[in-house]
Amino acid sequence: MTAGKKDSPKPAADEAGVNAGTDPQALEAMLANAMRSGSAAAAEPALPARETPPVDSQRCGLIAIVGKPNVGKSTLLNALVGQKISITSRKAQTTRHRITGMRTVGAAQFVFVDTPGFQTRHGNALNRSLNRTVVGAVSDVDLIVFVVEAGQFNLADAKVLALLPEKTPAILLANKFDLIHRRAEIAPWLRAMQERHDFAEYVPMSANNAKDIERLFGICEKYLPVQPWMYGADELTDRSERFMAAEIVREKLFRLTGDELPYTSTVIIDKYEEEGSLRRIAATIVVEREGHKGMIIGEKGEKLKRIGTEARHELETLTGGKVFLEIWVKVRSGWADDEARVKTFGYE
């Protein structure tokens, strides 16, 4: 869905985001201008179904959210959608799938695509799969949001930046801008970033700030083609409850085991049955070594019990009903470097 994307000129930057080029004065002015409110449309609530705008006035487009591991992409997606659809943790590689989140604001429908962080440290089958997902996500979208930490740029960021197609407009989103104490010092960094890539706009913000999220909608809207919506106005994601169940269990696993557990652990849903508002779910945590299994189960099974309890509570909130959750732990040595098994476990 890229109609009108390739030949359309980049919109002129407005007060919400500035393409300052490399002019020093423009760069300095950008620091003040870019923090102002965005398009007025960003503050409009999503229209109820009965007020759906005419098809010829609708805007809709794909927006890829890309960046290195642990830079805040999933937190940003959840804030944009207005509901948690992508799991988060301090552990790198938390996001492993292409997750689509939708938000309809006024006449515009934003279809955000969250991607795994581009992997450079390990060359196993799992990481090759994750990297294919990233490359595929940026190849056919209307806009790219390249997320970096404000004032930072390293080799991992550069690897992702090298993937961005030249003809697709890209926004440089400087996340965690609220942590910058002397903002004037950002100007040299921004000048260097503009020299690395011809960004359409620069957006300093914090993914945890509601006003910044509203401002980002206004910035992104003008890059969306005029075309019918892809989804209903009230839809938030294209992922199933079954998929979300596996992700929620994996999130609790990562959060409760910390850095001790290798990143290659994963979760498979063996059973997902619906009986009215009741869900019966059986899940398996897959690890590569016997020692990892004991780490997850914990003394007298306490760690596994806590993982299950926290996952069940979140699933009950998600589904609005009762959840019976069983979790098992199994060892599958070398699975992360086995192409066939990686695909069997649901990775692209």
Side-chain angles (χ1 to χ4, degrees):
M1 185 196 67
T2 56
K5 174 185 65 175
K6 300 298 183 184
D7 300 325
S8 300
K10 292 178 182 178
D14 61 12
E15 293 180 340
V18 176
N19 183 352
T22 57
D23 180 75
Q25 292 184 339
L27 287 166
E28 295 293 344
M30 171 278 304
L31 292 172
N33 292 337
M35 297 303 293
R36 297 177 185 173
S37 61
S39 164
E44 296 177 8
L47 294 176
R50 64 179 181 278
E51 297 180 22
T52 299
V55 172
D56 59 2
S57 67
Q58 294 178 0
R59 285 180 177 270
C60 183
L62 290 170
I63 303 171
I65 302 173
V66 301
K68 67 182 179 183
N70 253 18
V71 77
K73 301 181 299 297
S74 295
T75 298
L76 176 63
L77 176 66
N78 292 338
L80 289 164
V81 172
Q83 179 176 307
K84 180 178 176 180
I85 62 170
S86 187
I87 65 173
T88 61
S89 80
R90 291 182 296 120
K91 200 176 195 63
Q93 288 192 322
T94 299
T95 299
R96 292 185 181 170
H97 302 271
R98 172 175 171 152
I99 299 175
T100 301
M102 295 79 78
R103 183 73 176 272
T104 302
V105 183
Q109 184 170 87
F110 304 81
V111 183
F112 297 102
V113 181
D114 187 21
T115 60
F118 193 76
Q119 309 300 319
T120 59
R121 294 182 59 190
H122 306 282
N124 59 26
L126 174 60
N127 280 351
R128 291 194 294 271
S129 169
L130 302 185
N131 287 351
R132 285 194 297 269
T133 300
V134 179
V135 173
V138 300
S139 64
D140 191 26
V141 295
D142 301 286
L143 176 66
I144 296 171
V145 175
F146 177 53
V147 184
V148 294
E149 291 188 25
Q152 304 293 320
F153 189 83
N154 59 24
L155 180 60
D157 295 303
K159 292 281 188 179
V160 181
L161 185 60
L163 301 175
L164 307 192
E166 292 184 3
K167 293 184 179 180
T168 304
I171 289 174
L172 174 63
L173 192 153
N175 195 23
K176 303 180 183 179
F177 193 74
D178 54 315
L179 302 181
I180 301 296
H181 300 298
R182 302 185 64 179
R183 295 182 178 180
E185 296 178 358
I186 286 292
W189 172 80
L190 176 61
R191 186 180 298 113
M193 294 302 296
Q194 290 286 4
E195 291 172 353
R196 289 187 175 99
H197 188 87
D198 183 20
F199 290 103
E201 300 188 42
Y202 163 70
V203 183
M205 63 171 287
S206 168
N208 295 316
N209 187 305
K211 289 185 178 180
D212 283 351
I213 293 298
E214 289 184 357
R215 181 163 54 90
L216 186 57
F217 279 116
I219 294 167
C220 293
E221 181 177 354
K222 55 186 176 288
Y223 295 93
L224 304 186
V226 177
Q227 58 186 358
W229 296 344
M230 295 177 63
Y231 301 94
D234 58 347
E235 291 187 66
L236 298 179
T237 184
D238 63 346
R239 289 295 189 171
S240 66
E241 286 185 5
R242 185 188 185 104
F243 172 84
M244 292 303 301
E247 290 290 274
I248 288 170
V249 173
R250 190 163 61 86
E251 178 187 64
K252 305 313 174 191
L253 170 67
F254 282 176
R255 288 192 172 189
L256 293 173
T257 56
D259 295 331
E260 303 173 41
L261 189 69
Y263 74 94
T264 50
S265 306
T266 194
V267 175
I268 308 300
I269 299 299
D270 303 304
K271 179 181 73 174
Y272 194 97
E273 298 176 349
E274 299 183 33
E275 301 173 10
S277 62
L278 173 66
R279 305 292 188 273
R280 297 184 185 275
I281 305 170
T284 297
I285 295 174
V286 179
V287 296
E288 290 197 299
R289 297 179 183 177
E290 194 67 34
H292 301 158
K293 181 177 180 179
M295 186 186 305
I296 294 170
I297 294 173
E299 187 175 355
K300 297 181 180 180
E302 288 301 315
K303 182 67 67 67
L304 183 60
K305 181 179 179 181
R306 186 177 172 191
I307 291 170
T309 298
E310 292 196 10
R312 178 174 56 80
H313 288 164
E314 186 162 333
L315 283 165
E316 288 179 339
T317 299
L318 175 70
T319 63
K322 187 72 174 176
V323 171
F324 290 128
L325 175 63
E326 293 179 298
I327 302 179
W328 307 90
V329 185
K330 295 182 180 179
V331 179
R332 294 290 182 268
S333 180
W335 80 265
D337 204 23
D338 183 331
E339 293 279 0
R341 184 158 281 176
V342 166
K343 291 182 179 179
T344 299
F345 286 173
Y347 297 100
E348 297 178 5

